[in-house]
Each structure stands twice: as C-alpha cells, then as structure tokens.
Amino acid sequence: MKETILDNPAWGSLISEHKHFAEGTDRVKRYRNSIVPFVACRDAGEDSMEDINPWISAGESFYIIGELPVLPKDWKVESELPCAQMLLTPGWSLPLPEEDDVTISLLGDADATAMYELINSVQPGYYNPDTRLLGTYYGIRQQGKLVAMAGERMRMTGFCELSAICTDPAYTGKGYAQRLITQLCRRHVAAGIASFLHVSLLNERAIRLYEHMGFTYRRSISFTKVKKNS
C-alpha cells in the first residue's frame, strides 16, 4: 500500500487491519470508544461528519488526525496537538542498546491495569482501557513495578504505528524506550512492515532519539481534540 495512506492513518486502519474495531458508515468511522478515541472520515472535503453522530455520545471528546473536515454545528474544537509523523528508514539497521540486566516482557491481560495507569500518568488522553487490544505491547519492570512500555496502535496494510512509548519519570535516562522501540521495530522488519510514529513537534528530545534510531520526518500532522456538545 502506498505511503500516502499515512496522511489519514486512522481511516486507513479502520478500513483495513482494524476494521473489526470500527463503527460507522462507509464515509465516517470511529474506533469503539473503549479502544481508542479516534474518529476519521474518508475525505475531509466531503460534508459527511454528521454520519457518525449515532456512534458518539453527547459530551464525548475524541480526536481527528490530519486534515480537519467541516464539523457539525454541535461539535467544538477543544485543542490541537501538532505532531511530527516519522517513518523508519527502509533497510535501516537499528542500533543495539548496551547489554545489561534489563528484561523486556510481553504484556498481556494481567498487565492491563498497570499499563493503563502508567501511560495515563505520563501521556493522558490517548490510551483507553482496551487500547492494548490493538497490537503487541512490551514492558520493563523494576522491583515488580511496570516502569516503561511501548506498543502498537494504528495498523494498515504494510504499516504499523508505534505508540504508548512512555517511561515512569523516576526511571528516565536509562535507555528503556530505545530498547522497547528496537524490540517492536525488529518484529516489523521481520514481517515486512514499515514502522511509523507520531511525536509532538515540541518534544525535541524524543525527536532526536527517533532520528538516532533511524526514523525520518515524513510530515507534520495534527491530533485535533473535538467535543460533541449535544
């Protein structure tokens, strides 16, 4: 599939690899609310967003990624997060982290509460109780506590997004994020999938890390938070 599908990643996911999580019509879809708060339309130039109203509750907030379509009169923009969309360079050999006693664990159902609490203590608003069902997640524990995690979110044919990359502030600077990203990207390379991610344009430290790991800037893309008032 062509790289341009990344210009509208939630739509691309909801009509392909994640269609079993989709609700809506052939013009507008959303992920089920318990999964992730994303709404997407086929074409931002179409006057189609009213179509999804039956699947959105009054007072609910959600995100539209990319070009903002014409919104229904009872929808209100709450905020905008401009992000860099970054794509792993094809053929890039990911640098190996230094060997140490850090153990990377595959996260599952038993870790659901710890995952939700960690990501929402660091990056609230984008991870719901069942977001983990979107893909594979890995974590690092210290003294039995989950202190770092990373996983997969939006997925379309040939591409998979890295997301929920976070570390407990008390454990930053130890290279945990790099280890987890490397673990995921190696899986993608082996499967013939291109890894991509989104990071706030203001997060220069994270952007430098991703560039060091072989990700290149593809485009600027916004996550616009919208609320349905009635």
Side-chain angles (χ1 to χ4, degrees), residues 39-53:
V39 171
C41 62
R42 180 178 63 191
D43 184 348
E46 294 181 344
D47 186 11
S48 60
M49 299 307 289
E50 293 272 6
D51 292 5
I52 199 68
N53 269 328

Side-chain angles (χ1 to χ4, degrees), residues 194-214:
S195 308
F196 72 102
L197 54 81
H198 297 100
V199 55
S200 168
L201 287 170
L202 298 178
N203 194 344
E204 297 179 357
R205 179 183 178 190
I207 290 173
R208 288 196 300 270
L209 169 64
Y210 299 143
E211 289 175 339
H212 169 70
M213 297 191 69

Side-chain angles (χ1 to χ4, degrees), residues 16-44:
S16 60
E17 301 296 322
H18 282 166
K19 60 185 178 182
H20 52 293
F21 293 121
E23 297 177 332
T25 72
D26 62 351
R27 299 198 303 168
V28 191
K29 299 182 186 294
R30 68 165 299 169
Y31 278 95
R32 297 201 308 268
N33 186 45
S34 65
I35 300 292
V36 73
F38 293 166
V39 171
C41 62
R42 180 178 63 191
D43 184 348

Side-chain angles (χ1 to χ4, degrees), residues 65-79:
I65 306 167
E67 184 179 355
L68 194 64
V70 176
L71 302 180
K73 61 182 180 180
D74 61 337
W75 293 19
K76 178 183 177 181
V77 172
E78 295 187 301
S79 63

Side-chain angles (χ1 to χ4, degrees), residues 12 19 25 31 70 89 93-94 97 103 105 108 140 143 148 181 189-190 199:
K19 60 185 178 182
T25 72
Y31 278 95
V70 176
T89 304
S93 179
L94 291 165
T103 299
S105 302
I140 293 173
Q143 288 80 51
I181 293 167
V189 169
V199 55

Side-chain angles (χ1 to χ4, degrees), residues 4-5 29-30 43 62-63 65 69 85-86 112 122 125-126 146 153 157 176 178 193 195 213 219 228:
T4 52
I5 196 172
K29 299 182 186 294
R30 68 165 299 169
D43 184 348
F62 48 90
Y63 294 89
I65 306 167
Q85 185 181 80
M86 305 184 74
V122 179
Y126 297 91
L146 183 66
R153 189 168 59 184
T157 305
Y176 291 169
Q178 182 176 344
I193 298 169
S195 308
M213 297 191 69
R219 60 160 294 177
K228 179 184 176 183

Side-chain angles (χ1 to χ4, degrees), residues 118 121-122 142-143 145-148 166-174 176 205:
L118 174 60
S121 70
V122 179
Q142 291 293 357
Q143 288 80 51
K145 176 185 176 182
L146 183 66
V147 299
C166 67
T167 303
D168 184 316
Y171 293 87
T172 57
K174 301 179 182 296
Y176 291 169
R205 179 183 178 190

